[in-house]
Amino acid sequence: MRHEPTHRVLSVVEALAADGPPLPLSEIAREAEASRSTLHAVLAEMRAQGWAEKVAGGWRAGPRLRAVGALLAAEVDLARAAREPLEALAEATGIAAVVFEVREGMAEVVDSAGSGMRTASRGVVPVGHVVPLRAPFARELAARLPMVEQRRWLAESGGLTPAARERLELVLPQIARRGWSVERLTPGRRELLRMADSLEASGIGSLVRDRVSELFVELSEIDVTDAELAGTADLAVASVAAPVLRADGRAVGSVAVTPGRRMTGRAVARAVEAVTACAGDVSARLASRPGPARAAVLPPHLVHPAHAARVP
C-alpha cells in the first residue's frame, strides 16, 4: 500500500527532473494525481528548500535538485569503464591484471582479467581483495594526494619502522613524477602472499589483516627508485600499478598487473608502459562522462611538488 504524501512528493520530483520547458501547475497535478491546492503546499516547501523554482511558464527543477542530478550523472561504474582496457592490458602483457577502486579507506579489487595467462606465475587477485589505504600500501594513490593528506597517510600507519618511513620519503616523490609504483617480491613475502590468499579465502578478520599488513612491511623492499631500476639486470615484482584519475586529477582507483616473479629491467619497463597506458585509457573514459565543476585549486603549500610538476 503506497504512502500518498510520499508518492506525491516523488511524483513532483520526477516531473521536475524531466527534460523540457517549465511545467504548469496543472500538468504537475495531472502527473502526480493530486489536486492543485495540495501541490501548492508541496511546491512551496520544495521552493523554500531549493528543490523547485517558479519561473515564467511554470515550475522547473531548483538548484538542489539540479546539483543532485549532476552528481548522479558523474557517477561512473569504474569496473565497467575498465573492462575493455583491462582485457587489453592482460592480453598485451601476458600477465593477470586487476582494477582497484577506493572504497571506505580501502582499495578493493572490482574486476580482473587474464586468468591462466601464459606468463603469469601467480593467479589473478580475486574480486573483493582489499589493500589498506595506509602507508606503505597504495603508493600510486598516495603519491597523488596533496601534501597535507600525504602526511596524514604516513602518520596513520603505526607499523612503519624508521627505515620504512625514510624509504617512503625517498620513493614517493619519484612515484608522483613517473606515475606508477612497483610492489617488490622477496622470498619471505612470496610465502606471506600465499598465506594471505589462503586467509582471505577463509574470511580473514581485521586484526589478522592488520598483522599481515605489518609483516608485509617488515618483509618488503618498498618500491624501487629510478636509479635502482636503471642499475639492475632483473627485479622480483609482485605488481606494477598506476592510478586512475577523475577529470579533476583526483585518484579514484588504480590498475595493476600482478606477475609475481622475476622480470628483466626491459620487461619491467614494458609492463610499466602498458599499465600506465591502461590507466590513462580508463581515466579518459571517466573524464568523458559529464561531471561536476572542476575542484578549486589548492594553495601551493598544500600541493606535493612532484604532483604540481605533472599538473598544469
Side-chain angles (χ1 to χ4, degrees):
M1 182 176 180
R2 74 186 187 186
H3 186 255
E4 287 300 329
T6 303
H7 173 71
R8 282 195 295 271
V9 172
L10 292 177
S11 297
V12 172
V13 169
E14 186 174 16
L16 296 181
D19 290 334
L23 293 175
L25 183 60
S26 58
E27 177 64 19
I28 300 174
R30 185 186 66 79
E31 293 193 21
E33 301 176 356
S35 68
R36 292 163 59 102
S37 59
T38 298
L39 289 185
H40 267 300
V42 172
L43 286 165
E45 180 62 21
M46 290 181 66
R47 184 182 188 182
Q49 298 294 329
W51 291 91
E53 284 182 339
K54 190 173 184 181
V55 295
W59 292 86
R60 69 180 185 185
R64 289 186 69 182
L65 181 54
R66 291 197 299 271
V68 169
L71 288 173
L72 291 175
E75 287 291 324
V76 177
D77 185 337
L78 180 56
R80 185 180 304 169
R83 172 96 298 252
E84 290 183 11
L86 202 66
E87 290 178 341
L89 174 61
E91 179 64 28
T93 61
I95 304 172
V98 295
V99 58
F100 289 90
E101 184 171 7
V102 175
R103 293 181 175 179
E104 300 178 353
M106 295 283 183
E108 180 177 343
V109 175
V110 293
D111 198 8
S112 62
S115 178
M117 298 303 294
R118 62 187 180 279
T119 60
S121 59
R122 185 179 180 224
V124 177
V125 178
V127 171
H129 174 83
V130 293
V131 174
L133 288 181
R134 65 170 183 268
F137 305 103
R139 292 179 301 280
E140 73 282 358
L141 300 175
R144 299 289 308 187
L145 295 173
M147 183 65 80
V148 64
E149 294 183 42
Q150 195 175 105
R151 287 173 179 159
R152 188 181 305 124
W153 174 80
L154 279 166
E156 289 178 352
S157 180
L160 286 180
T161 64
R165 188 175 298 276
E166 183 178 345
R167 176 71 175 183
L168 281 171
E169 290 173 352
L170 172 65
V171 299
L172 273 179
Q174 297 188 28
I175 295 170
R177 281 193 297 271
R178 69 197 186 199
W180 50 269
S181 69
V182 167
E183 200 69 66
R184 299 173 73 170
L185 190 64
T186 61
R189 185 166 175 193
R190 188 188 297 272
E191 294 304 314
L192 193 57
L193 278 170
R194 291 173 182 158
M195 183 183 76
D197 287 344
S198 175
L199 287 171
E200 188 163 18
S202 63
I204 183 173
S206 59
L207 291 177
V208 177
R209 182 187 294 126
D210 288 346
R211 181 53 186 148
V212 169
S213 296
E214 292 171 6
L215 288 172
F216 267 113
V217 176
E218 293 172 13
L219 295 172
S220 293
E221 297 176 64
I222 298 173
D223 221 286
V224 59
T225 66
D226 297 340
E228 289 168 349
L229 188 60
T232 186
D234 62 5
L235 194 68
V237 178
S239 65
V240 178
V244 172
L245 310 176
R246 299 188 314 203
D248 63 3
R250 190 81 175 190
V252 294
S254 59
V255 295
V257 291
T258 57
R261 58 182 172 83
R262 297 200 72 85
M263 302 173 70
T264 65
R266 183 173 297 180
V268 174
R270 286 197 298 266
V272 164
E273 183 178 359
V275 168
T276 53
C278 178
D281 189 357
V282 178
S283 298
R285 290 168 184 247
L286 298 185
S288 68
R289 289 288 298 271
R294 186 178 177 88
V297 176
L298 288 168
H301 69 284
L302 296 183
V303 180
H304 194 286
H307 175 63
R310 290 173 54 84
V311 180

